[in-house]
Amino acid sequence: MINLKNPSLYNNREISWLQFNTRVLKQAQDESLPLLERLKFLAIYGTNLDEFYMIRVAGLKKLFAAGIIVSSADKLTPLEQLREIRKYLHQEQQVVEHCMNGILKKLEPEGISIKLYKDVNQHQRHYLNRYFNENIYPVIIPIAVDATHPFPHLNNLSFGLIVKLQDSDNTAIERFGIIRVPRVLDRFIELEHDIYVPIESLVAEHVEDLFPGYTLIKFASFRVTRNADIEIEEEEADDFLEILEEGLKLRRKGAMVRLEVGSDGDEEIVNFFNRHTNVYKDDIYKFHTFLNLSSLWQIVSNKHFAHLLTEPFKPKTLPPLDNSENIFTTLEKQDILLYHPYESFDPIVKLIQTAAKDPDVVSIKMTLYRSGTDSPIVKALMSASESGKQVTVMVELKARFDEENNLIWAKALEKAGAHVIYGIKGFKVHAKATLITRRKNAKLKQYAHLGTGNYNPATSKIYTDMSYLTSKDEVTSDMTRFFHFLTGFSKKGKLNELYMSPSQIKPKVLSLIQNETRKGANGEIIAKLNSLVDEDVIRALYKASQAGVKINLIVRGICCLKTGIEGVSENIRVISILGKYLEHSRTFYFKNDETGVYISSADWMPRNLMRRIELLTAIKDKGAKEKIIQILRLQCADNTLAHELQSDGSYKKIKNEGAKNINSHTLLEDYANKIAKASIKESAHLLKELMANIFTEEL
């Protein structure tokens, strides 16, 4: 009997995440992609790594400092994990620098270059000097550091220069200073849309203007990362908004967990800085390229070079939502399943906007996790409330790194008269759900939207997610109970048709896996997730594999399950798909289950299953079920974008050796284009047949 709790059967969560970010880096290394597309993936890699250090590394440091030996299924201690993380990242840094230098070199013949101040011509220097005096000098912050000038507090992700200066009148006197570069300033100064000058290069030329009477000896750019996790004692929070606002202020002042230094940062400069900040030596990264990879978005977004990006796809509004029929009438006739971004998110926005204007709509209830900065949905909800409709909105203020934006929307909705809920004590509300109640023939009729992604029209163009629209009474009745649970008090929180965490989703998932296990070799599971961490779920999958169940997992990010272990996981295959779109939907197929197909807002992680309010939705509509199954099988067959998990925890890009190219992103774009074109001229019967078979035809 194999012990399924053996630590050797599990990948470490943090290392698995680093492997995911390495796959993002590999996209930047892919020479088949356009150059700015590759640079975009470098920016994504850097943004991901910033968040990883701010949250995951900071958390491990706190556990280590507190002497807490908390370990997951792999049994690595916090200190062991920190050592592995630092080793991994220091080795990968050379790959990052080589990749960036290679891309920048290839961009030069295309007309884009990054140049230092000293490398531009005299005319361009005159422009840069004027730019400095007019745009930088008034807002930049030179700070002396000595007995009377204490070392300044540096907010999270602060960027600037460390300078060593010499007194012009007395060369024996040397001093250190800091120049903070505010975030309101661009990372690069643009010259004629094609030359980018790093701001530190320009500032360094004017150090003596900032410190009159001193001569610059040497300098180095720096960037700091702090613990950005917000801790809120909800038991003591009488005013949750006030507590969260205070937490956002404290985020900027969290413990420093990483220091990045430019190539000019010699030992003396680093030692001066670190005497005041005390960053652990292995958390100091010296870069021979430009600091702040996420700032590369400034170059990527240059519209003059859009041809160096992957051609954008325009999401399509497909039948039956492509006509002028009232959307409520359409939903009374049939359920609708949309797969974004191939199918447009506009119908979801239109649903809320139509409900806001419809005089027969009496109430709108909705959860908001990440809605974006200029949300048409929130504006529609405000309009609905101002017109007298009963609007209830659950705004999750604890949505990490969206707290400030959500605070703004919450206050605006309250001001408009909506009933705003700020969360459930002890839980994050991560479910994506809308319920609209409307008068029809002197009775009330309800319409529901359940999704795997956020109500954010901007990200809906780059995240793959599913939207399920229905007016079925059994679903809408459960939705009513769900919102009553959010607004009132309930010790049970049990739904009949839907499944809600923390009480229902995990038992349901385990039950579905166990049912396939009982079927042995006749069992089949396909699960598409962002992350797989939960130990109980992993052990259930191992048991299913041992029984002969065929298991295909499409896990974009963290996967703590190990494949290819004799007697444990030979029947489990795990792939990760990275490409033009961010795979974000949570979708499941269980061959021998009566319903068979489910979508969810929840990943298979302890936090989703036990510490969040999530929803799992059974898809019973025949057409919607078949559509989801075909999408899952198409992605399992992907041999262009997919990386396969190896038994040692690494990933290998699947090699297409003589087989037909199957790029799931491209094929789904082609599908949407084909249906949109056919809907103009084909009969309803032929169009329906085409929509039902397009996925299998591609395979």
Side-chain angles (χ1 to χ4, degrees):
M1 178 72 73
I2 297 174
N3 178 14
L4 295 182
K5 293 186 178 182
N6 188 320
S8 66
L9 300 182
Y10 299 87
N11 292 317
N12 176 261
R13 172 190 167 135
E14 315 306 344
I15 302 303
S16 183
W17 185 92
L18 290 173
Q19 288 277 2
F20 155 68
N21 213 31
T22 296
R23 296 194 293 281
V24 175
L25 178 59
K26 285 182 178 178
Q27 293 295 110
Q29 296 172 284
D30 186 347
E31 295 189 359
S32 70
L33 295 176
L35 287 169
L36 284 187
E37 193 74 13
R38 294 174 61 191
L39 203 66
K40 180 185 80 174
F41 279 107
L42 262 186
I44 294 170
Y45 172 90
T47 303
N48 288 348
L49 195 54
D50 286 346
E51 185 171 333
F52 179 74
Y53 244 95
M54 285 188 279
I55 303 301
R56 301 304 306 175
V57 173
L60 288 171
K61 281 173 167 278
K62 285 187 70 175
L63 290 175
F64 172 68
I68 299 172
I69 307 299
V70 176
S71 56
S72 52
D74 61 282
K75 301 302 180 186
L76 288 183
T77 67
L79 180 58
E80 288 170 333
Q81 293 180 71
L82 286 168
R83 286 172 175 163
E84 288 296 320
I85 289 166
R86 291 158 177 157
K87 179 182 176 183
Y88 191 106
L89 290 176
H90 279 288
Q91 290 176 345
E92 190 163 78
Q93 182 182 328
Q94 297 175 13
V95 180
V96 173
E97 293 176 351
H98 182 265
C99 178
M100 179 189 281
N101 289 333
I103 295 172
L104 295 179
K105 187 174 181 179
K106 289 186 176 182
L107 279 171
E108 288 184 6
E110 300 290 342
I112 298 178
S113 59
I114 297 180
K115 294 185 178 181
L116 302 180
Y117 178 92
K118 65 182 179 66
D119 296 326
V120 301
N121 63 41
Q122 198 63 37
H123 172 73
Q124 292 166 335
R125 288 188 186 186
H126 284 311
Y127 170 82
L128 288 170
N129 292 336
R130 188 170 67 251
Y131 184 93
F132 176 85
N133 290 323
E134 294 176 358
N135 298 284
I136 299 177
Y137 186 81
V139 296
I140 207 161
I141 308 167
I143 303 167
V145 180
D146 57 25
T148 58
H149 298 83
F151 193 88
H153 172 78
L154 301 168
N155 288 340
N156 185 31
L157 301 182
S158 287
F159 172 73
L161 275 69
I162 311 163
V163 295
K164 185 179 181 182
L165 307 165
Q166 185 179 67
D167 190 309
S168 300
D169 298 323
N170 184 349
T171 57
I173 298 175
E174 296 180 346
R175 303 178 66 179
F176 284 96
I178 298 288
I179 302 173
R180 292 176 62 177
V181 179
R183 292 187 198 179
V184 294
L185 298 173
D186 287 336
R187 179 67 182 82
F188 301 98
I189 296 103
E190 280 188 56
L191 294 175
E192 303 161 5
H193 304 297
D194 56 2
I195 298 174
Y196 292 84
V197 178
I199 192 169
E200 66 271 27
S201 173
L202 176 56
V203 171
E205 289 296 320
H206 292 273
V207 167
E208 293 168 18
D209 296 327
L210 296 167
F211 294 95
Y214 287 87
T215 304
L216 178 65
I217 299 174
K218 56 186 173 182
F219 77 95
S221 55
F222 74 89
R223 185 168 181 260
V224 300
T225 310
R226 292 184 176 276
N227 181 346
D229 209 6
I230 297 177
E231 293 184 9
I232 298 174
E233 296 295 335
E234 294 184 61
E235 296 291 341
E236 301 173 9
D238 295 324
D239 187 331
F240 191 78
L241 266 75
E242 185 178 331
I243 293 290
L244 187 70
E245 286 173 331
E246 188 61 29
L248 288 170
K249 294 175 186 175
L250 292 174
R251 168 180 279 170
R252 298 192 289 269
K253 302 177 181 179
M256 201 174 290
V257 293
R258 181 180 61 166
L259 170 63
E260 297 167 282
V261 183
S263 57
D264 292 321
D266 62 16
E267 188 175 353
E268 183 185 24
I269 281 203
V270 172
N271 287 343
F272 154 73
F273 193 91
N274 211 27
R275 281 200 303 272
H276 300 278
T277 56
N278 197 31
V279 177
Y280 183 68
K281 62 180 179 64
D282 287 339
D283 290 317
I284 299 174
Y285 296 82
K286 186 174 180 180
F287 280 84
H288 297 280
T289 53
F290 309 103
L291 300 185
N292 190 5
L293 291 175
S294 60
S295 66
L296 293 172
W297 281 108
Q298 184 183 345
I299 301 173
V300 171
S301 59
N302 189 329
K303 293 180 181 179
H304 295 274
F305 295 90
H307 60 284
L308 298 178
L309 285 163
T310 299
E311 185 179 354
F313 171 77
K314 186 177 180 181
K316 301 296 187 290
T317 300
L318 302 180
L321 297 174
D322 60 337
N323 56 39
S324 58
E325 184 178 61
N326 183 288
I327 192 167
F328 298 117
T329 304
T330 302
L331 291 180
E332 287 162 13
K333 296 176 182 176
Q334 66 181 101
D335 290 355
I336 296 172
L337 182 103
L338 303 178
Y339 191 35
H340 314 299
Y342 313 102
E343 294 175 85
S344 176
F345 192 74
D346 289 348
I348 310 304
V349 176
K350 184 180 177 182
L351 173 69
I352 309 302
Q353 292 173 332
T354 301
K357 296 175 183 177
D358 190 331
D360 292 325
V361 169
V362 296
S363 78
I364 306 172
K365 298 179 180 180
M366 194 170 189
T367 61
L368 288 177
Y369 192 73
R370 303 185 194 276
S371 55
T373 53
D374 188 27
S375 172
I377 287 177
V378 178
K379 290 176 181 177
L381 292 171
M382 291 165 62
S383 175
S385 182
E386 288 166 349
S387 68
K389 290 178 171 58
Q390 199 268 316
V391 176
T392 303
V393 187
M394 165 58 243
V395 181
E396 181 47 80
L397 297 181
K398 292 173 286 186
R400 186 172 285 150
F401 300 119
D402 263 4
E403 299 98 339
E404 197 163 357
N405 188 53
N406 286 2
L407 273 169
I408 293 169
W409 283 129
K411 291 177 179 178
L413 283 162
E414 276 194 333
K415 189 176 180 180
H419 177 57
V420 181
I421 313 154
Y422 299 117
I424 305 295
K425 187 167 69 176
F427 297 94
K428 278 188 182 181
V429 178
H430 193 246
K432 281 72 178 178
T434 299
L435 180 66
I436 297 166
T437 305
R438 184 171 179 261
R439 290 192 188 93
K440 181 178 173 62
N441 300 328
K443 293 183 180 180
L444 294 179
K445 178 67 177 173
Q446 294 183 303
Y447 310 82
H449 169 264
L450 290 147
T452 65
N454 301 304
Y455 288 106
N456 186 330
T459 57
S460 72
K461 293 181 174 66
I462 54 174
Y463 287 22
T464 71
D465 273 304
M466 290 192 175
S467 284
Y468 179 55
L469 296 156
T470 184
S471 66
K472 283 191 170 71
D473 291 341
E474 58 267 32
V475 175
T476 58
S477 295
D478 252 9
M479 292 277 282
T480 299
R481 280 189 287 274
F482 171 71
F483 280 104
H484 285 176
F485 169 74
L486 294 184
T487 58
F489 294 102
S490 174
K491 291 184 178 179
K492 295 182 179 179
K494 185 177 180 181
L495 305 177
N496 297 323
E497 190 71 18
L498 305 173
Y499 302 88
M500 180 174 68
S501 66
S503 60
Q504 289 182 284
I505 295 182
K506 184 170 179 176
K508 179 62 177 177
V509 168
L510 292 174
S511 173
L512 289 165
I513 296 171
Q514 288 159 4
N515 184 52
E516 296 302 317
T517 304
R518 286 190 288 270
K519 301 297 181 180
N522 192 40
E524 183 182 6
I525 298 169
I526 306 176
K528 178 174 164 55
L529 303 148
N530 293 316
S531 299
L532 172 56
V533 177
D534 189 87
E535 295 173 35
D536 294 327
V537 173
I538 292 173
R539 280 194 282 272
L541 290 169
Y542 282 157
K543 290 176 182 177
S545 172
Q546 289 174 326
V549 178
K550 182 184 178 184
I551 303 170
N552 276 289
L553 304 176
I554 308 163
V555 186
R556 184 193 80 220
I558 303 166
C559 183
C560 294
L561 176 148
K562 282 192 173 183
T563 58
I565 302 173
E566 186 178 353
V568 177
S569 56
E570 299 104 320
N571 292 311
I572 304 177
R573 178 176 182 254
V574 178
I575 62 169
S576 172
I577 293 175
L578 275 87
K580 185 175 180 179
Y581 302 113
L582 181 81
E583 294 293 334
H584 191 254
S585 60
R586 294 91 169 180
T587 318
F588 317 108
Y589 166 65
F590 298 91
K591 178 182 176 182
N592 293 286
D593 177 62
E594 183 179 355
T595 299
V597 175
Y598 299 80
I599 65 170
S600 182
S601 60
D603 285 308
W604 288 350
M605 302 178 74
R607 71 182 188 190
N608 300 91
L609 301 176
M610 304 304 295
R611 300 192 297 275
R612 289 185 176 184
I613 308 296
E614 307 265 16
L615 286 173
L616 173 72
T617 305
I619 305 298
K620 296 184 177 180
D621 178 81
K622 183 181 177 183
K625 284 171 62 171
E626 291 176 353
K627 181 175 180 178
I628 289 173
I629 292 169
Q630 289 185 50
I631 291 170
L632 290 173
R633 295 206 184 281
L634 171 64
Q635 293 212 311
C636 287
D638 191 304
N639 59 15
T640 305
L641 305 176
H643 298 71
E644 187 165 356
L645 176 63
Q646 308 299 302
S647 58
D648 64 355
S650 65
Y651 284 77
K652 283 188 178 179
K653 185 84 177 281
I654 293 176
K655 290 184 178 180
N656 182 8
E657 297 175 345
K660 178 182 178 182
N661 284 336
I662 300 176
N663 179 322
S664 57
H665 290 179
T666 301
L667 291 176
L668 285 162
E669 285 181 346
D670 292 345
Y671 157 77
N673 284 331
K674 188 174 182 179
I675 298 301
K677 187 176 181 180
S679 65
I680 299 171
K681 58 183 180 180
E682 299 291 353
S683 68
H685 174 75
L686 287 174
L687 185 60
K688 187 175 181 181
E689 186 176 317
L690 185 63
M691 292 180 73
N693 296 321
I694 186 71
F695 301 113
T696 51
E697 284 180 8
E698 296 294 355
L699 298 179

